[in-house]
Structure formats: C-alpha cells, structure tokens
Amino acid sequence: MSAAYATFGLAPAMRAGGVLANGDVQVHRDFLDFIVDGRPLLFQLSDLDAVSPLASDVPPAIFTAQVRSLLGETDAPLPNGRHVIYGCPECEDLGCGAVTAVIERDGDDVIWRDFAWQTAPAVDLQLNGYHGIGPFRFQGAEYRTALDSLLRGTDDAEGSRRRVLLIGARVAVLAKLAAALRTIGIGADITREVGEVPADELRGYGAVAFGREVTEEERAAVRRSFARAGVEVAYVDGLAPIVPLLVAQMEHALDRRPLEQRRLTRLVAADGEAGVEVTSPCRVRLTAYRLDRLYRTHAQEVFDGVLEAGRHRIALDAKAVRGEAFVVARTSGSVLVEAMAR
C-alpha cells in the first residue's frame, strides 16, 4: 500500500431531479460529496447515479450516525468493516446497489480501501471491485476536522435552501410548475408581490423565477426586496411555458457548485447542433422542447449516450428544434438549458 497521502474534504453536491421527456420523475437530492485530491470522488465512478450518506434530507439523528460511522466511532454498518460511500438516490436500499469500501485506521491515519459495487451483505472483490480506485490514505487530523465540522453544525447551509419563488401572471402554468417541483423534492411558492414578505421568509429561498410577462419594473422591485433582506438568490427568466423545461431551469439555478465540481459544464445550441462539455466520462441525455404556432408543446429525446471527458458536437434532429426550441442537457448531477440560436 502506498504511503502517499491523499487530501480529504467535503463539498456540497446534488443529484439533479427533473421531469423527463418520457414522464418519469427523478427526485432532487442535496448531499455532501467526498473531495479526494481536489476532485469529487463520485467522478471517478464514471456514470454512477448515486448520493453519499451525507444527504441533507435525512433526519438529523441518522445524519449524525452516518458521520460517526465514517469517523470510526461506531461499528461499520456492513460486514468486514465496510461502509456505504454512495448509494441509490431514490431509496438508499443496498439491494439497488451501492459503492462500499473498508474504512480503517492505521495509527493516526485513516485508510479507505477495497472499493466495490455491492448489492448484498457479502461482496466479491474480484468480480465487483473497483480495481482502479484507491486505496486512499488520509491524514487523520484533516479527515476528522472535515467530518467533525458536520457534528458542530458548521457545514455549508446553502444546500438546504431548496425552495424557489415563482412570480408570474399565468397561474395555471405556475401551479403545474410548483407541483412538478414539489414532486421531485423542491419546495415552491407562488406570488406576485414580495414587498411585504418578512426577511426571514425570503432567506428560505434559493432561486426566484420570473414569468415572461413580468415587467422589468416588477423584477427590479423583487430584487430590491431580497437585497434589503440581505439574501443572495439566483434569478431565472422562464424561457417558455413548458413545465419540464422550467423545472430544468430551476435545477440549474439551485446548483451553486464551482465548475470544477460539476460533470456538465457547457451547453450551446445553434445551427442544428448542440455543443456539450463534460469533465469526466458520464451519460448525457439531450432533450429538445419546442412550441409550435398554436403554442402546443413538443418534446423529443435527441441524444442519450456516454461521453468521454472533453467537448463534443452532437447533431440534432432538425424537426425537433425547428421554430421556438430549447435544449436540455442532463447528467446524473447537472442540468443545463439553452434556447436554440438561429
């Protein structure tokens, strides 16, 4: 085993929720990812749709138990000293599959080793081991400081602001959008006036979405209200009254991570092509949405495949992007939205 140390840290991450073109729903999950040598460990696992045990929506007692387990203060939850590092974002059941590893102490150091894909109490390292990942040796002080901060309640609270404020005149569209956001785990409220809303309430929002009919004067008034409350939020201009498209815009707005901690970092849509950039190998899905002359919505999945790290140009079906059209690019942890340029 190499004596070289790896650095250890934690950073906010998310599993992007969404309403997909086929009607399926993905639940939004905020969690803390493990940052090893400056990069999210999850990125080393290629196209894995999973979250760490340090999710923001688990009860406090369970969250504390997870932290103490990673610190080695309690017995490992699985046989042979194995811990769940990433699990299913929908149900967290081991039967769905999880990435596990042995966590052990070596003097003051902490070692993560024998990473594997596990679906039962016993694991076959030869068959299901991640042979190219780890072992990682962490300095004990750095490792414990990062995890102890969670027990003291000093972790970044930004990920907990999973509420959005919807402002517009088309109540029917806003109601459908709010319902869709709530379905995937994001709180949503509808209003047209925030001037009298107490500052404490405004601090609960992570993003504000404006409908296309909201005037500049009204938008400026909303921004002033949040500024007076000392709240920084993401402001979103709704591209079109298409609920899955608006959901994707809100998911993107709630993602406050730096680019180096995202898999999907760039999307351009023009001249019948989409330009996509990813930072690690992952599955990318492109969905085109358009409004016809009668303002009916049409959706079509135009690409679904695993892309290697780097920039890619993907040809789009001309019929899917004619007229007023938009493209949504989605990985397990990131969403980007662009209007089709002409």
Side-chain angles (χ1 to χ4, degrees), residues 41 158 253 282 286 334:
L41 180 59
E158 190 69 36
C282 59
L286 298 180
S334 301

Side-chain angles (χ1 to χ4, degrees), residues 46-68:
S46 189
D47 182 44
L48 183 66
D49 183 14
V51 300
S52 82
L54 305 177
S56 66
D57 55 352
V58 300
I62 296 177
F63 186 92
T64 298
Q66 299 282 16
V67 175
R68 296 198 181 282

Side-chain angles (χ1 to χ4, degrees), residues 38-295:
R39 280 182 56 79
L41 180 59
L42 186 59
F43 287 11
Q44 296 191 38
L45 302 171
S46 189
D47 182 44
L48 183 66
D49 183 14
V51 300
S52 82
L54 305 177
S56 66
D57 55 352
V58 300
I62 296 177
F63 186 92
T64 298
Q66 299 282 16
V67 175
R68 296 198 181 282
S69 177
L70 293 170
L71 285 166
E73 297 177 359
T74 59
D75 292 338
L78 298 173
N80 302 314
R82 301 193 72 82
H83 296 252
V84 173
I85 306 301
Y86 297 106
C88 173
E90 297 287 345
C91 67
E92 304 176 57
D93 191 324
L94 183 63
C96 291
V99 176
T100 67
V102 174
I103 298 179
E104 62 184 9
R105 292 187 178 182
D106 183 14
D108 194 47
D109 298 342
V110 177
I111 297 170
W112 287 19
R113 62 172 176 86
D114 296 341
F115 287 81
W117 179 252
Q118 190 166 347
T119 58
V123 62
D124 186 333
L125 290 178
Q126 283 298 113
L127 183 63
N128 296 315
Y130 285 99
H131 302 293
I133 299 179
F136 300 114
R137 179 182 289 268
F138 305 117
Q139 290 185 336
E142 178 185 56
Y143 181 85
R144 285 188 290 274
T145 296
L147 290 168
D148 280 342
S149 69
L150 305 182
L151 300 179
R152 297 194 301 270
T154 59
D155 53 308
D156 189 346
E158 190 69 36
S160 65
R161 292 169 60 191
R162 292 191 302 149
R163 295 194 69 80
V164 299
L165 187 62
L166 310 178
I167 300 176
R170 302 186 65 173
V171 176
V173 173
L174 294 180
K176 291 178 182 178
L177 174 57
L181 288 168
R182 292 166 188 150
T183 298
I184 67 173
I186 298 175
D189 298 309
I190 301 171
T191 188
R192 192 63 189 260
E193 173 60 54
V194 299
E196 303 302 321
V197 177
D200 287 345
E201 290 187 26
L202 295 182
R203 294 189 184 100
Y205 295 107
V208 176
F210 296 115
R212 295 201 287 188
E213 71 287 346
V214 179
T215 67
E216 275 304 318
E217 183 179 353
E218 291 172 319
R219 295 170 194 238
V222 170
R223 291 188 175 95
R224 287 195 297 270
S225 294
F226 276 92
R228 284 195 299 268
V231 182
E232 292 187 9
V233 296
Y235 294 101
V236 179
D237 293 323
L239 290 173
I242 302 172
V243 170
L245 178 70
L246 296 171
V247 169
Q249 284 192 267
M250 301 312 298
E251 280 286 294
H252 173 63
L254 291 172
D255 190 352
R256 300 300 185 87
R257 296 171 295 168
L259 283 179
E260 61 269 20
Q261 292 178 15
R262 305 186 193 190
R263 274 185 164 150
L264 179 62
T265 57
R266 178 175 178 267
L267 171 65
V268 294
D271 301 322
E273 288 186 338
V276 176
E277 183 173 8
V278 293
T279 59
S280 64
C282 59
R283 179 187 179 189
V284 176
R285 286 173 292 178
L286 298 180
T287 305
Y289 296 92
R290 68 179 182 89
L291 293 172
D292 63 21
R293 286 178 292 181
L294 298 177
Y295 281 89

